[in-house]
Amino acid sequence: MNTAWVGARSSATPSQLEALARAIRNTPIIDNHAHPLLKLEALAKHPLLSITSEAHNSDAVNSAIHSLPHLRAVRQLSELLKCNNTWEDVVAAIEQKRIDFPLEWTAQCLEGIETLLLDDGLDNEDDAQDMVWHNDYTRTQCKRIVRIEKVAADIIKRIGKTCDASPRTGNDVLNDAYDDWIVEFDTIMNEAIDDPDVVAFKSVICYRTGLDITSTVNEVEARAAFAEIIANFALLDFTKLQEVTLNDLVVHRTAMLIRDSPSKNKKPIQFHTGLGDNDITLAKSSPAHLQHFIRAYPTVPIVLLHAGYPFMREVGYLASVYEHVYADIGEVFPCISEDGQEQVLRQILELCPWSKILWSTDGHWFPETYLLAVTQMREVFTNVLSNYVRKGHIGYKAAIELVQDILFRNSNKLYHLDIDFMELDEEPGAEVGPYASDLELFQLFLKDQPPPDFVRICWNDYTATPRMRMVPFRKFMSLFDQAKSTDISIPKAVFGLIQNDHLVPSIAPTGEYRLHPDFSSLRPGPTEGHVSMYGEFREKSGAPVPLCPRTLLQKAVDLGTENGLTFLLGFEIEFLLLERVEGADTSATLSLNSLNPLKHRPSEASGRFSTLTTDGHAWSVSRYFADPKVSKLLRDMVQALDSMGIYVEQLHAESATGQFELILPPYPPIQAVDTLLHTRDVMFALATAAGYKITLHPKPFSTACGTAAHTHISISSPGGDKPEVYEPFYAGILKHLRAITAFTYSNPASFERLKDGAWAGGRWVTWGTQNRETPLRKIEGSHWELKAMDGLANPYFAMAAVLLAGIHGYMDQEKLTWGDCEIDPAKLTPNDRAELGVKDMLPASVEEALTALRGDEEFVEFFGQEVVERYCDVKEFEMEFLAEMGEEERRNWIMERY
């Protein structure tokens, strides 16, 4: 019954950290801001020393050899070039590469880059390669970024030369020239807006006159400033637009042209901010100066380049509070130290959603600038994000998503590139064995512990029975040694069995699936000498099996990701602790309807169990933990889980005698369910070893509170706490809750718990803020609790049903027509129910729930007709079997197994 929602704590197993590191290495990079490389013959004109310094246009560049960025670059380049760790040796080795293998060296330096978005407006353009030339070094064709100020200056140059050669003079000529300038500028920019090879515009107003752009441009002042340039053109040696009013004007005009363009896909304006050479006025380079401009153009995407260094927090703030603003964290790689780069990433992530963050090299002139930027980014991302995962600030799967978003997906979406995501090969051009990554994960996992005796591969079947296959460690490792697959043959009848291994009559005992272990789920335990992981079923061809519960949950996760939604799930494990009585009469029958000693019904052989001695057991009482045996068992559970990277949030007594609740931290859905099932196995094993028995029976005592598996749900993606996001999501769940109940209340015992006024979520389809008598309890924002679930449910199925219903609610923008129910809905009058939209009751039996499931055509369509029919067949066969038992016999039978 606990409602705490402590921040996510991660398991952070070595295999999961390595999965993150692999994602950082293998995610293709959309370099959202770069510059052309120099032609081979022009390389010697520019100082190579500038690859780690912005002082490239002054003698100050010579001091770079005494900087941390330079020393790091020397170390990294010397390792790659296999030369001595000195700048002189690095320069010599690079020059030799240019002579012997110039194209191959360039390709090596640009390795891992999917495409380049090139700002071709740098000086020395005659020395630079054209955009098309770069296509030979990227997987996808490069695109162009148009530099605003260069377009404006080039037109002025042409007009200035024309006016100088003209005999006409006077204000009319100057006014006409100004009008011609505006018309030609608008024409070029509109052509760029329509040009599919142009994906963005770039402003360097930061260099010219600063980012404090005026809100409006005075037309008279602009004409006068333009006239001054043209009238004195011959004397000025004009090369760059340096006049404040005209710089502000061209940036405003570009934004207005983008804003007013008919295309729905607006092209962004990139702004140089912060870090740059000594042309900038540092005090005017903070992106904070752009706030008025940002507000003026809410439909024009704006990218703040270079992390705004040293104004990183300003960049993160602006990107977090304005939907159309994005934060680029390029150029700092490799121009500042490793510690500085880590600080940049941390400060941006302090506030900014990662869906608003882009990455770039700002590579220019030399291919080595690309090489160093990518190498250092991967180091820093690995260090910072792995640390976040270890600390539990983010789950490893969410961290992988963050990496892929920042390096690829965000730019792909913002610049409308429509590139298919395809991971890089670990070693491009080399053969990589299909099981190499699994072996790598397994070896890393084993570094932290002695070799196990057995490897478990686990699954949860249609009756929520935990099943597994064990492989001796020696045999398991021999599969890797022989380059064989680690998957296991399982009969296709696996999804047609009930608890006693009887097979649904309509299912044939023929055919096989392959159970593939998911090495990212590796954990020690649940008993000494064992390690465990969860598997997913596939056909022999490798195709997913639609009937697999874990695969179905992954389908829900994938659908959420496609729609910009990610989730965290946190489970509460309520359980009843019974004590074994040695030498007891095994012929007696277990009865939990009294507090007398309880006798366990014999199956083949059985011990005797009794309820724990009660000294007024009640919810959250402290006296129960005075029993040293109970206290030690509960402590051992928490310590064992902690050693496995599962960090328990809370533990307390529940209402019924011997009933407790252990609260797990929130994780992404697959990891959350894997962790729940593993935790239960650990708890059961420790209880058995200590002479106790744990049961998850939903209603162990007829007059006391039942035992549930409450689930906390939150939408963790950016914007998840906005009502327009989470209300349609939960409306979708409520819309299909009667069908969902077939998965969350999957046993006759489940409906013994389903009562009004028992803190069990009640019987009505509705929700309420902090209302524990509704099946959905709103806590805060998108954080809600599902109370209508118990420990007899297959959690993969249950969570797949909940998430798919919610995601489709979000996709269809379902209205939350149910009002906020503030009291026990069972106490509402008919008028109250009508006012709150409370119309339906939850099913009252498994049979009614299955009928509701089959009758919800929309739910069946997105959940899968095949899996719904199979699930109903299995449950109906199970119900026939359980119906042959008396009430007490059935209760005992269930407690033996759950």
Side-chain angles (χ1 to χ4, degrees), residues 369-430:
T369 58
Y370 289 90
L371 171 65
L372 289 172
V374 171
T375 301
Q376 294 182 10
M377 174 275 291
R378 287 177 173 154
E379 285 184 356
V380 167
F381 272 45
T382 301
N383 293 341
V384 171
L385 297 179
S386 296
N387 190 45
Y388 283 161
V389 171
R390 288 190 194 97
K391 290 181 176 180
H393 295 176
I394 186 173
Y396 86 100
K397 289 190 176 180
I400 290 172
E401 178 187 314
L402 178 153
V403 170
Q404 294 173 344
D405 284 352
I406 292 177
L407 298 184
F408 186 93
R409 293 195 184 100
N410 294 343
S411 288
N412 197 31
K413 181 179 180 181
L414 176 64
Y415 298 105
H416 314 292
L417 301 176
D418 296 325
I419 303 172
D420 292 332
F421 181 90
M422 183 172 65
E423 282 194 347
L424 304 168
D425 291 332
E426 188 71 36
E427 297 177 10

Side-chain angles (χ1 to χ4, degrees), residues 80 105 143 165 247 268 370 630 810:
L80 182 64
W105 175 240
K143 298 293 184 180
N247 272 294
Y370 289 90
V630 174
Y810 172 78

Side-chain angles (χ1 to χ4, degrees), residues 438-732:
D438 287 346
L439 175 60
E440 194 173 24
L441 291 173
F442 197 50
Q443 289 174 331
L444 279 167
F445 174 80
L446 294 174
K447 282 182 179 179
D448 293 346
Q449 58 187 320
D453 300 315
F454 293 99
V455 177
R456 295 186 180 203
I457 307 174
C458 311
W459 72 94
N460 205 251
D461 74 7
Y462 276 45
T463 65
T465 298
R467 299 182 185 263
M468 59 100 176
R469 290 287 183 90
M470 286 202 314
V471 183
F473 177 70
R474 176 198 54 77
K475 174 61 177 176
F476 197 77
M477 290 306 297
S478 74
L479 297 174
F480 286 119
D481 295 338
Q482 298 167 29
K484 294 182 177 179
S485 173
T486 55
D487 57 284
I488 294 174
S489 173
I490 302 289
K492 286 192 173 183
V494 64
F495 295 139
L497 298 174
I498 62 173
Q499 295 91 333
N500 61 359
D501 298 334
H502 289 185
L503 184 62
V504 174
S506 61
I507 298 174
T510 58
E512 71 163 354
Y513 292 134
R514 306 299 300 184
L515 178 62
H516 288 254
D518 179 353
F519 283 77
S520 72
S521 66
L522 267 167
R523 291 190 189 274
T527 59
E528 185 177 358
H530 291 206
V531 297
S532 301
M533 52 187 150
Y534 286 86
E536 60 184 26
F537 287 87
R538 300 180 195 165
E539 301 286 357
K540 292 182 70 174
S541 66
V545 174
L547 295 175
C548 174
R550 196 171 187 268
T551 299
L552 189 63
L553 179 55
Q554 185 62 58
K555 169 187 169 183
V557 171
D558 292 343
L559 182 65
T561 301
E562 290 170 11
N563 287 276
L565 300 177
T566 57
F567 307 94
L568 290 175
L569 305 178
F571 290 102
E572 300 175 0
I573 303 177
E574 294 182 1
F575 61 96
L576 184 70
L577 192 61
L578 303 173
E579 190 168 13
R580 188 186 302 274
V581 180
E582 296 297 337
D585 177 8
T586 62
S587 63
T589 302
L590 181 67
S591 172
L592 284 175
N593 288 322
S594 70
L595 296 181
N596 294 325
L598 305 173
K599 297 179 181 179
H600 184 64
R601 170 184 172 270
S603 48
E604 295 179 358
S606 176
R608 182 181 178 189
F609 296 89
S610 67
T611 55
L612 303 185
T613 303
T614 178
D615 291 320
H617 185 106
W619 174 72
S620 291
V621 296
S622 60
R623 67 177 68 90
Y624 222 102
F625 294 86
D627 183 332
K629 288 178 61 181
V630 174
S631 182
K632 181 179 184 303
L633 173 59
L634 298 176
R635 181 198 65 193
D636 289 348
M637 288 179 182
V638 173
Q639 289 183 345
L641 292 168
D642 194 271
S643 71
M644 299 171 186
I646 301 171
Y647 303 111
V648 174
E649 304 262 296
Q650 291 186 35
L651 178 64
H652 63 268
E654 269 295 353
S655 183
T657 301
Q659 191 181 49
F660 298 90
E661 180 179 292
L662 182 146
I663 302 166
L664 295 175
Y667 297 106
I670 294 287
Q671 185 183 0
V673 175
D674 290 348
T675 302
L676 168 67
L677 295 174
H678 188 73
T679 298
R680 287 177 179 169
D681 280 347
V682 172
M683 294 167 62
F684 283 29
L686 289 172
T688 300
Y692 293 93
K693 176 179 176 55
I694 283 177
T695 180
L696 304 175
H697 193 290
K699 195 68 174 176
F701 302 103
S702 61
T703 59
C705 288
T707 302
H710 299 155
T711 307
H712 290 255
I713 306 167
S714 66
I715 302 175
S716 56
S717 44
D721 279 333
K722 295 180 179 179
E724 58 266 32
V725 175
Y726 69 76
E727 286 187 357
F729 175 81
Y730 288 109

